[in-house]
């Protein structure tokens, strides 16, 4: 085991994958000698050469189009989109090509070996073009997987599983935690299952559900709730698509209540899909309406970031309202 922050865990996972499989290559804007804007790809070019870690032109549509071609011809590309906000120029390539290539070719071709890495979310005073959480846009598209780690241990295990999965994966990294989240990470090769949520803490009164950076918020809110005698069950969804409805519903059957939080705006956010599914499957077990604590339905603000963010205080207030309904 070694102490790593989330960035170091991502870097270690990439080194592990590139060492184990010479078909793995990493590319994107400034990922080469510079190591990426956050340094997630530091030293990869020195270790593996310019043929396997290289800079691309500043065109996200081109990056993913190039990656699709590589993946369909047998390479294992790991393409970086510098910020989650910048992924939208590549939206057509991802939802109409990456996700559908296997289907439209009748299984003759596939982009299944492609992994797209991108940092997402706020908390870094990045304003409206460096703080968005676009996971829900892509969750509407069959054919890709969406994975979000919450800490360094999860980041390495989930990224290795994503690179080796037989489906294209959008791997979204919570940039607020890049250097803030430090933990013990095995130096050896390991994978964590995609599509499987993790019950982080068991409880009896209410189920709290999130992914990525919001898990830290849930933990703080659950501690405050515990001081008032409220027992919270914490679940990290980890995979947005496919998402683990069975684990979530089993928890809600036990607690009778559910609160979901994410940084993205509330309208059309992925919490809506979860709430609809849980209401359908657990209706007779619910003791109160399903609660959502999300970002506001506005562009992500710079000066009012603290008001926008769904923090532990907002979650704590929603826990009390839900339990006392």
């Amino acid at each position: 085991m070694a102490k790593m922050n989330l960035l170091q865990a991502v870097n270690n996972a990439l080194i592990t994958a590139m060492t184990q499989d010479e078909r793995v290559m990493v590319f994107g804007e400034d990922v080469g000698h510079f190591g990426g804007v956050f340094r997630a790809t530091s030293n990869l070019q020195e270790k593996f050469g310019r043929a396997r870690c290289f800079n691309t032109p500043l065109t996200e549509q081109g990056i993913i189009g190039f990656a699709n071609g590589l993946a369909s011809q047998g390479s294992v590309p790991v393409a970086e989109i510098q910020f989650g906000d910048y992924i939208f120029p590549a939206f057509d390539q991802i939802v109409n090509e990456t996700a559908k290539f296997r289907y439209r070719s009748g299984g003759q071709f596939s982009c299944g070996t492609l992994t797209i890495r991108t940092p997402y979310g706020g908390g870094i005073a990045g304003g409206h073009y460096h703080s968005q959480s676009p996971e829900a846009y892509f969750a509407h598209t069959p054919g890709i997987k969406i994975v979000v780690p919450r800490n360094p241990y999860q980041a390495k295990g989930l990224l290795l599983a994503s690179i080796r999965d037989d489906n294209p994966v959008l791997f979204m990294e919570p940039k607020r935690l890049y250097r803030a989240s430090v933990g013990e990470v095995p130096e050896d090769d390991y994978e964590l299952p995609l599509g499987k949520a993790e019950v982080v803490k068991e409880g009896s009164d209410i189920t709290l559900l999130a992914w990525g950076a919001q898990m830290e918020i849930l933990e703080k809110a659950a501690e405050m709730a515990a001081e008032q005698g409220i027992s919270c069950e914490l679940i990290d969804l980890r995979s947005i698509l496919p998402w683990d409805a069975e684990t979530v519903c089993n928890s809600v059957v036990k607690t009778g209540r559910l609160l979901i939080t994410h940084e993205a705006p509330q309208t059309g956010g992925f919490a809506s899909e979860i709430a609809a599914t849980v209401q359908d499957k657990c209706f007779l077990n619910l003791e109160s309406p399903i609660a959502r604590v999300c970002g506001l339905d506005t562009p992500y603000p710079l000066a009012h970031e603290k008001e926008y963010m769904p923090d532990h205080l907002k979650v704590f207030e929603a826990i009390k309202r839900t339990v006392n309904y």
Side-chain angles (χ1 to χ4, degrees):
M1 304 289 280
K3 282 273 188 184
M4 298 184 193
N5 62 29
L6 202 145
L7 269 177
Q8 291 166 330
V10 168
N11 183 261
N12 188 259
L14 293 171
I15 291 171
T16 301
M18 295 176 80
T19 301
Q20 185 263 339
D21 186 349
E22 64 180 13
R23 299 177 304 154
V24 178
M25 58 180 69
V26 174
F27 51 88
E29 297 166 2
D30 301 320
V31 303
H33 176 73
F34 188 60
V37 68
F38 293 103
R39 306 298 187 268
T41 56
S42 292
N43 302 314
L44 295 186
Q45 192 172 84
E46 287 80 356
K47 285 179 181 291
F48 300 101
R50 293 191 174 191
R52 295 183 63 198
C53 179
F54 50 88
N55 295 338
T56 65
L58 306 186
T59 168
E60 286 76 21
Q61 185 175 11
I63 291 170
I64 302 304
F66 177 58
N68 287 340
L70 282 169
S72 69
Q73 297 299 317
S75 294
V76 183
V78 181
E80 179 182 295
I81 300 296
Q82 196 170 75
F83 283 85
D85 313 64
Y86 300 171
I87 205 166
F88 298 115
F91 192 81
D92 175 58
Q93 283 293 326
I94 295 170
V95 303
N96 276 329
E97 305 298 338
T98 308
K100 296 181 174 68
F101 208 38
R102 179 185 283 132
Y103 177 84
R104 84 175 204 197
S105 70
Q108 295 182 76
F109 298 98
S110 170
C111 296
T113 57
L114 170 57
T115 302
I116 303 166
R117 290 182 44 253
T118 192
Y120 84 94
I124 64 161
H128 60 297
Y129 284 142
H130 297 82
S131 305
Q132 296 173 81
S133 300
E135 66 269 18
Y137 291 103
F138 298 97
H140 195 61
T141 305
I144 58 173
K145 294 185 176 182
I146 305 169
V147 179
V148 190
R150 75 175 186 274
N151 61 30
Y153 174 79
Q154 301 285 327
K156 180 178 177 179
L158 291 171
L159 181 53
L160 283 170
S162 298
I163 292 170
R164 294 163 181 165
D165 195 85
D166 192 31
N167 298 277
V169 178
L170 175 59
F171 192 84
M172 302 180 66
E173 301 162 7
K175 60 179 172 285
R176 181 172 66 81
L177 301 184
Y178 265 157
R179 292 182 173 84
S181 178
V182 179
E184 295 283 339
V185 178
E187 294 182 299
D188 294 337
D189 192 334
Y190 68 97
E191 296 179 26
L192 296 173
L194 305 185
K196 182 66 178 173
E198 181 186 9
V199 180
V200 177
K201 176 180 175 291
E202 294 198 356
S204 57
D205 296 327
I206 184 172
T207 300
L208 308 181
L209 178 65
W211 48 89
Q214 283 304 107
M215 286 304 299
E216 181 185 42
I217 301 301
L218 281 193
E219 289 168 357
K220 289 181 181 179
E223 289 173 6
M224 296 175 69
E227 293 175 1
Q228 298 202 3
I230 300 173
S231 173
C232 300
E233 181 146 302
L234 272 64
I235 298 180
D236 177 9
L237 199 58
R238 298 200 296 195
S239 292
I240 303 298
L241 195 69
W243 70 280
D244 188 358
E246 182 179 6
T247 295
V248 175
C249 289
N250 286 344
S251 175
V252 174
V253 167
K254 180 174 71 171
T255 65
R257 302 174 182 88
L258 175 62
L259 182 152
I260 313 155
T261 178
H262 57 60
E263 287 186 29
Q266 177 164 301
T267 299
F270 198 68
S272 304
E273 174 63 29
I274 297 168
T277 300
V278 171
Q279 188 274 153
D280 176 53
K281 296 183 181 297
C282 307
F283 181 72
L284 296 178
N285 301 98
L286 289 170
E287 301 288 344
S288 62
I290 297 169
R292 290 178 292 164
V293 182
C294 307
L296 305 180
D297 288 337
T298 68
Y300 200 105
L302 177 60
H304 298 290
E305 183 175 48
K306 288 185 177 180
E307 287 78 10
Y308 180 96
M309 287 283 282
D311 61 13
H312 62 289
L313 298 175
K314 293 178 183 177
V315 173
F316 175 55
E317 292 299 322
I319 290 171
K320 289 192 294 182
R321 286 195 304 271
T322 304
V323 170
N324 297 323
Y325 178 78

